[in-house]
Amino acid sequence: MNEDVWKQIMNDIANQNIRYGSCEVRLTFHDGRIDFYELTTRYRRNTNALRSKCSREKEADNG
């Protein structure tokens, strides 16, 4: 892989400003060289909604 392409990929990932989540890089080759690449990011958001609801139900049961 060309070092310039790797730097470009790393800059694009840094520009995504990923704090939590993941990033997938897909490289497409043509004639043994990278023709283009794609970045896919996924974000995971944890919530307390389910945990809070269960806690309230337990508290109500315990009266």
Side-chain angles (χ1 to χ4, degrees):
M1 182 184 312
N2 183 330
E3 191 170 322
D4 292 332
V5 173
W6 180 247
K7 287 179 183 178
Q8 185 177 1
I9 292 170
M10 293 303 293
N11 284 335
D12 284 345
I13 292 171
N15 288 338
Q16 292 294 315
N17 195 26
I18 301 170
R19 295 187 52 154
Y20 303 99
S22 62
C23 177
E24 178 181 314
V25 179
R26 176 181 283 186
L27 304 172
T28 300
F29 292 84
H30 181 72
D31 290 336
R33 298 177 59 179
I34 297 173
D35 193 29
F36 63 90
Y37 64 90
E38 300 170 82
L39 296 179
T40 304
T41 56
R42 293 180 178 86
Y43 296 95
R44 175 181 168 166
R45 300 288 188 235
N46 293 335
T47 63
N48 291 329
L50 183 58
R51 189 176 315 144
S52 296
K53 181 180 177 186
C54 290
S55 296
R56 286 193 303 266
E57 289 174 357
K58 285 181 183 180
E59 289 174 8
D61 289 342
N62 292 333

